[in-house]
Amino acid sequence: NAGVTQTPKFRVLKTGQSMTLLCAQDMNHEYMYWYRQDPGMGLRLIHYSVGEGTTAKGEVPDGYNVSRLKKQNFLLGLESAAPSQTSVYFCASSFGTARSYEQYFGPGTRLTVT
Amino acid sequence: DAKTTQPPSMDCAEGRAANLPCNHSTISGNEYVYWYRQIHSQGPQYIIHGLKNNETNEMASLIITEDRKSSTLILPHATLRDTAVYYCIVRVGGTSGSRLTFGEGTQLTVNP
């Protein structure tokens, strides 16, 4: 049982480049989340999904897109990276509504945009 | 959501119990107490949660006072790997798109 895994672990992008971050979970969780965490700051929710084929915006969705084609995978895309998107990105998953605050996190992807 | 207050830092000797307090005096009847921790450079880790009864799992115990205005997370035999920032969160049971927000938390340092 690997829990929540994220790829890649590190990435350096130039301004304007695009990339996709992959999150996978093997706990059969319904809900999945993408957060970003800037140095010394708390988590900010980018997008989330309450089931396969559904996505919704969090508090900081601009500049990002997501897709949940399979229940176990949640992809985060940056179409045109900007230095302001330099951050650590965490994926999380949880069971449905009643347990949605019991979230399990991946190890993070450290992204630098130059 | 109820506001929580935690001490900014605590120290604990390795092998001893670590008792981390949290005040949540404005908690309402349907709000749960959740505890998370974040070890440096790692993803946050769910520890435990409870409503009004004391709870125990393989990681920790959660003691909630009878009036539910405060709680204590207990790590029974702290190890160096338990050094982390611990967050107490109070939330209603859950809604779609439940966004976790961490306050300042308590930096627990376990010393050899």
Side-chain angles (χ1 to χ4, degrees):
Chain A
N1 190 337
V4 179
T5 58
Q6 294 182 232
T7 53
K9 290 184 170 55
F10 302 92
R11 186 71 186 268
V12 178
L13 287 179
K14 295 186 186 301
T15 298
Q17 289 184 320
S18 64
M19 77 164 295
T20 300
L21 284 65
L22 172 63
C23 175
Q25 53 94 5
D26 61 2
M27 296 175 282
N28 201 33
H29 284 167
E30 287 294 327
Y31 290 10
M32 296 187 75
Y33 315 78
W34 276 107
Y35 292 89
R36 60 178 287 176
Q37 186 173 38
D38 298 325
M41 298 184 65
L43 297 173
R44 291 187 289 172
L45 183 65
I46 304 171
H47 287 280
Y48 64 97
S49 168
V50 299
E52 182 178 320
T54 71
T55 63
K57 295 180 180 179
E59 59 178 316
V60 289
D62 293 342
Y64 305 94
N65 57 75
V66 288
S67 63
R68 182 110 181 261
L69 299 179
K70 293 183 179 181
K71 184 177 183 179
Q72 63 269 32
N73 295 337
F74 195 28
L75 278 63
L76 177 71
L78 286 73
E79 291 186 343
S80 180
S84 61
Q85 294 178 304
T86 293
S87 189
V88 180
Y89 292 85
F90 291 108
C91 176
S93 67
S94 71
F95 288 110
T97 300
R99 297 179 63 181
S100 60
Y101 284 116
E102 186 181 331
Q103 296 181 16
Y104 295 85
F105 285 77
T109 295
R110 281 148 185 80
L111 175 66
T112 301
V113 183
T114 61
Chain B
D1 300 319
K3 179 180 169 58
T4 60
T5 303
Q6 299 177 252
S9 63
M10 295 183 65
D11 287 292
C12 177
E14 189 177 19
R16 304 296 295 269
N19 297 281
L20 294 100
C22 181
N23 287 318
H24 32 79
S25 58
T26 61
I27 193 170
S28 60
N30 61 349
E31 288 183 308
Y32 288 72
V33 180
Y34 293 80
W35 282 85
Y36 280 78
R37 72 181 183 184
Q38 189 167 22
I39 298 170
H40 182 62
S41 298
Q42 296 185 21
Q45 181 183 24
Y46 164 80
I47 302 173
I48 199 168
H49 75 279
L51 182 63
K52 55 183 178 181
N53 297 321
N54 297 337
E55 302 287 344
T56 295
N57 63 21
E58 64 279 4
M59 289 184 64
S61 295
L62 174 61
I63 308 298
I64 302 174
T65 57
E66 192 169 343
D67 62 7
R68 303 208 324 122
K69 294 184 176 182
S70 66
S71 60
T72 301
L73 179 74
I74 301 172
L75 308 178
H77 305 287
T79 70
L80 300 179
R81 288 177 296 179
D82 291 321
T83 292
V85 180
Y86 288 77
Y87 299 98
C88 168
I89 304 165
V90 174
R91 287 288 187 277
V92 176
T95 57
S96 62
S98 300
R99 173 174 64 93
L100 282 178
T101 53
F102 295 156
E104 298 297 318
T106 296
Q107 171 66 59
L108 174 69
T109 302
V110 181
N111 300 303

